[in-house]
Amino acid sequence: MNLLKYVFSSTVRRLACCLAVLSLLPASAWAAWSCNATGSPVTIQLPASVAVARDLPVGTMLTNWVSSTNVQKVFTCTSSSTYVGITFWYAGMVPQGTNSVMTAKYNGVDFPVFPTNVAGVGIAMGGFAVANGKGGTVNPFAYFATNNASGTNYGLGGQLTVALVKTGDITPGTVSGGVVSSARVTIGGPSFPSSSGLVSDPPGVDYSITPVVITVLTCQTPDVEIPMGIHGPDLPSVGSLSSNPAAFNISLKNCPGGTAVPGTQVGLINSIQYKIDPSNGTVPGFSNVAALSGNPSAGGVGIQLFDSTGAVFPLGVNQTLSGFNSTAGGNYSIPLTARYYRTGTLTTGPANTTMTVTMTYL
């Protein structure tokens, strides 16, 4: 009994010793591969600043597409009948698993758009990878290429392509820049690698973007108060207009000029639209006659606006600001007049209303 116990415990010790020795063998002894990082960290130069008209549609490209240099040997590898590849993977600003709800098209391929630290600004990424001459097709992020042929000192490489995209209402700020992707050696089959297939030795080669200051372009639009005067006798019947039009201007001050960025809609305000909505809506049965507000209030009357030609101004309908110079910017005004419009039986009282002017900068 004592002898058996001794033999068993001795076998256990020898087995543990063998396991310890095996665990010290390099990964290349198991997988018949070895790679060295021969590329350097890469910085992709984006524009230092981007000026964005406030109301550009979601999905608007805020920069042109910018690519890293096509490097065929980010890693140099030797392998024997083992799948060895390169994967451009999430890193830094774009953590693995970040969901993308938008895409931006590059050369006919939809690249996913990921959030940045600036609200309303996303980064689209994609590119291609090459493993010993295999691959090279543009793909959305993340993307990879593998090689299962034996070879000596062959290259794993590729290229990252990025652009900034509007994803929502933009808050001015600075896209901080930094690492957005890491090229990693991948060991495994020809299918897309799981995170367990990304080898940390050799280390990954990082791809970064430079910071971008995002500014939002608008004009200043002061409030306007329009004195209408006292009326009544000059409104003898339904459809009558008050005799003295109240002239006023909607001002657009300090509109910024800019320089267009080719291939995008940014750099300046391309056009300005405006519309006027009465706060209390229109008088039922009457087109473009604003209802009065307040209590007490006069009865049987509303307010109608007219443009500089004397035509009735359409309420709630976008109009394009004429004469706007997008490169020069400057100050502009929209001349209008207001008149009371009789809609029914007149009753005395205050005859006030408010209207909201909405400016759209495209």
Side-chain angles (χ1 to χ4, degrees):
M1 179 66 72
N2 291 336
L3 178 59
L4 289 174
K5 181 178 180 181
Y6 173 79
V7 172
F8 182 77
S9 57
S10 175
T11 302
V12 170
R13 283 196 298 272
R14 284 197 294 272
L15 178 61
C17 179
C18 290
L19 290 175
V21 171
L22 290 174
S23 67
L24 294 175
L25 291 175
S28 57
W30 287 98
W33 67 273
S34 64
C35 292
N36 295 309
T38 49
S40 302
V42 177
T43 298
I44 298 175
Q45 190 76 38
L46 292 177
S49 62
V50 174
V52 184
R54 184 191 64 189
D55 302 304
L56 287 177
V58 168
T60 296
M61 302 299 298
L62 302 182
T63 66
N64 290 307
W65 293 100
V66 184
S67 299
S68 65
T69 301
N70 178 7
V71 177
Q72 295 295 304
K73 283 193 174 183
V74 175
F75 301 98
T76 300
C77 300
T78 297
S79 65
S80 176
S81 299
T82 301
Y83 279 101
V84 179
I86 182 172
T87 300
F88 283 76
W89 201 249
Y90 309 91
M93 289 174 58
V94 186
Q96 178 183 341
T98 298
N99 291 327
S100 170
V101 296
M102 286 185 58
T103 59
K105 198 172 291 293
Y106 173 78
N107 285 355
V109 178
D110 288 326
F111 283 5
V113 180
F114 303 98
T116 69
N117 61 296
V118 174
V121 178
I123 181 169
M125 293 195 294
F128 65 86
V130 178
N132 198 17
K134 297 183 178 181
T137 301
V138 172
N139 288 289
F141 197 78
Y143 52 93
F144 72 105
T146 58
N147 156 60
N148 67 337
S150 300
T152 302
N153 294 329
Y154 60 83
L156 306 178
Q159 187 176 62
L160 177 68
T161 299
V162 303
L164 297 185
V165 181
K166 180 174 179 178
T167 58
D169 292 337
I170 294 177
T171 300
T174 300
V175 176
S176 57
V179 176
V180 292
S181 176
S182 182
R184 309 297 297 272
V185 173
T186 303
I187 306 301
S191 61
F192 188 85
S194 65
S195 58
S196 62
L198 299 177
V199 179
S200 59
D201 186 14
V205 174
D206 288 337
Y207 286 69
S208 302
I209 62 169
T210 54
V212 183
V213 177
I214 307 292
T215 57
V216 177
L217 303 176
T218 63
C219 307
Q220 298 173 5
T221 51
D223 291 341
V224 182
E225 185 172 338
I226 306 152
M228 296 291 293
I230 299 173
H231 298 273
D234 56 347
L235 297 167
S237 60
V238 172
S240 298
L241 291 166
S242 55
S243 55
N244 296 322
F248 66 99
N249 290 299
I250 298 173
S251 297
L252 289 82
K253 296 183 176 181
N254 301 318
C255 297
T259 303
V261 177
T264 73
Q265 295 183 55
V266 302
L268 44 73
I269 298 173
N270 299 283
S271 67
I272 299 176
Q273 295 181 345
Y274 61 96
K275 68 172 181 172
I276 301 176
D277 293 288
S279 301
N280 277 22
T282 56
V283 178
F286 293 86
S287 176
N288 296 311
V289 178
L292 301 183
S293 59
N295 188 17
S297 181
V301 69
I303 294 178
Q304 198 165 58
L305 302 181
F306 299 86
D307 65 20
S308 59
T309 69
V312 174
F313 185 87
L315 299 175
V317 178
N318 272 323
Q319 308 291 312
T320 299
L321 178 67
S322 62
F324 176 67
N325 187 321
S326 57
T327 57
N331 300 320
Y332 299 86
S333 64
I334 303 166
L336 298 169
T337 56
R339 301 174 74 176
Y340 285 117
Y341 183 103
R342 183 167 172 175
T343 60
T345 302
L346 291 178
T347 61
T348 60
N352 302 320
T353 194
T354 59
M355 301 187 193
T356 301
V357 181
T358 302
M359 312 301 300
T360 301
Y361 303 93
L362 299 170

